[in-house]
Amino acid sequence: MDTIRVLQVDAFTDEPFGGNPAGVVPEADDLSEHQMQSIAAEMALSETAFLRSSDGADRRVRYFTPTQEVDLCGHATIGSFAHLRDEGLESGTTTLETNVGTLEIDVDDDGTVWMTQDAPQVREADVGYARVADALGVDQAALEGASDDIPLAVSSTGLSFLIAPITYLSDVGNAQPDMHAIEKLTDDVDATGVYLFTFDALERESTLHGRMFAPGAGVPEDPVTGTASGAVGAYLDHFGAFDDDFPEELRLEQGHYVDRPGRARVRVGDSVRVGGRGVTVLDGSMLVPEDDEDEILEA
């Protein structure tokens, strides 16, 4: 059997064991789809990024959860480029080919990685508050009370999420999600997961506090979610949540209720950009089962 280098990078944090852990395989050109899925299952993280060569961009990436491939993953992208920065990648702009198209990635001098996401798409969700409240295990009145101006809606900047505002931080923290019901709900509204949030944040400089549940993608609760952060930024802009005073930068808290606190930075302008830093906490090698040559995928 061959061995391959694998890493765990904690994204959206400067501290080890905070934020969202991502698997990163920096040289994945010779891996088949089956091998990538097997590695992601063995890593047992919400997503693992497999970096490959590309004919049309500086790099190609594919993302796998322990159970399936997903088209885009924010924290695994941040983690991948935090690792590349550690390996000598210079500050500036680079391009990344994904299943949703080619994206621009910017790396600041301080190591912050910015991911320009796909064009926003926002639509109100044809689903009742009672059903969403039951699925999330929250009080229906708390959902309705937070939604006078910003309704339940599905938002995407690459992956779709049902965005659900709620009144207080205690409502977010006390949620008792029914994963089976959430999976059925997200299937019915054609979304990857549900992002529950409140403007009642823990830290003064934070814009909001969120939790994200995506059991249908094999991720019951994600600590800090880059794609959902971009989606909620687009959602808030679409519904005019801040009237004519939209912040230059949103700061989204997440992960505290699974003991992995982190923060995503979001800038909404001509495009939606999600930023954060990362720290490598594991760098090693893994045995890879052999695969038939005709199953090896082209980059």
Side-chain angles (χ1 to χ4, degrees):
M1 290 188 183
D2 293 329
T3 61
I4 194 162
R5 187 184 183 192
V6 296
L7 304 100
Q8 179 180 316
V9 184
D10 293 346
F12 296 116
T13 182
D14 292 322
E15 299 293 333
F17 313 130
N20 199 346
V24 178
V25 178
E27 296 181 8
D29 276 344
D30 294 330
L31 295 176
S32 71
E33 185 170 321
H34 173 73
Q35 287 172 319
M36 289 188 284
Q37 183 64 79
S38 297
I39 291 167
E42 187 69 16
M43 291 293 286
L45 300 170
S46 57
E47 277 93 3
T48 296
F50 295 84
L51 298 176
R52 303 164 70 90
S53 57
S54 170
D55 292 332
D58 294 320
R59 291 171 185 79
R60 167 86 163 101
V61 67
R62 293 182 66 177
Y63 308 98
F64 287 80
T65 77
T67 61
Q68 66 185 50
E69 183 174 11
V70 293
D71 290 336
L72 189 65
C73 176
H75 84 277
T77 303
I78 301 297
S80 294
F81 281 87
H83 157 68
L84 291 172
R85 173 71 172 171
D86 290 342
E87 297 279 293
L89 178 69
E90 294 184 358
S91 304
T93 302
T94 185
T95 54
L96 182 68
E97 180 188 351
T98 74
N99 287 355
V100 300
T102 298
L103 306 178
E104 285 191 353
I105 308 296
D106 295 290
V107 181
D108 288 348
D109 290 338
D110 69 355
T112 301
V113 179
W114 291 94
M115 175 185 182
T116 299
Q117 299 192 342
D118 207 7
Q121 298 181 15
V122 184
R123 55 183 168 84
E124 291 196 38
D126 185 18
V127 61
Y129 287 101
R131 182 180 180 188
V132 176
D134 286 345
L136 291 171
V138 299
D139 181 60
Q140 181 178 337
L143 276 180
E144 293 176 322
S147 303
D148 291 340
D149 299 317
I150 46 174
L152 297 170
V154 175
S155 179
S156 172
T157 53
L159 287 182
S160 296
F161 295 89
L162 176 63
I163 310 296
I166 200 163
T167 309
Y168 297 116
L169 184 63
S170 58
D171 298 316
V172 173
N174 292 333
Q176 298 291 326
D178 179 333
M179 295 302 170
H180 178 75
I182 289 176
E183 184 171 356
K184 182 76 166 61
L185 172 64
T186 52
D187 283 346
D188 289 349
V189 300
D190 193 22
T192 299
V194 180
Y195 188 94
L196 175 70
F197 81 92
T198 177
F199 292 114
D200 183 23
L202 284 168
E203 298 181 10
R204 189 166 186 170
E205 65 269 25
S206 296
T207 308
L208 58 81
H209 192 104
R211 295 176 71 182
M212 198 286 287
F213 310 101
V219 185
E221 180 167 358
D222 207 29
V224 191
T225 318
T227 47
S229 296
V232 78
Y235 161 93
L236 294 171
D237 182 50
H238 179 85
F239 289 109
F242 300 97
D243 298 322
D244 295 325
D245 192 25
F246 198 89
E248 180 179 335
E249 182 174 297
L250 307 173
R251 298 197 173 195
L252 280 56
E253 299 175 349
Q254 197 182 335
H256 296 71
Y257 293 102
V258 289
D259 295 324
R260 295 199 66 100
R263 184 189 297 116
R265 300 163 62 185
V266 180
R267 296 175 179 173
V268 180
D270 294 336
S271 59
V272 176
R273 302 172 73 223
V274 175
R277 299 180 67 177
V279 55
T280 299
V281 298
L282 181 150
D283 187 347
S285 60
M286 180 181 290
L287 288 172
V288 180
E290 294 182 4
D291 224 346
D292 292 337
E293 283 192 15
D294 58 3
E295 291 184 10
I296 299 295
L297 300 179
E298 294 297 329

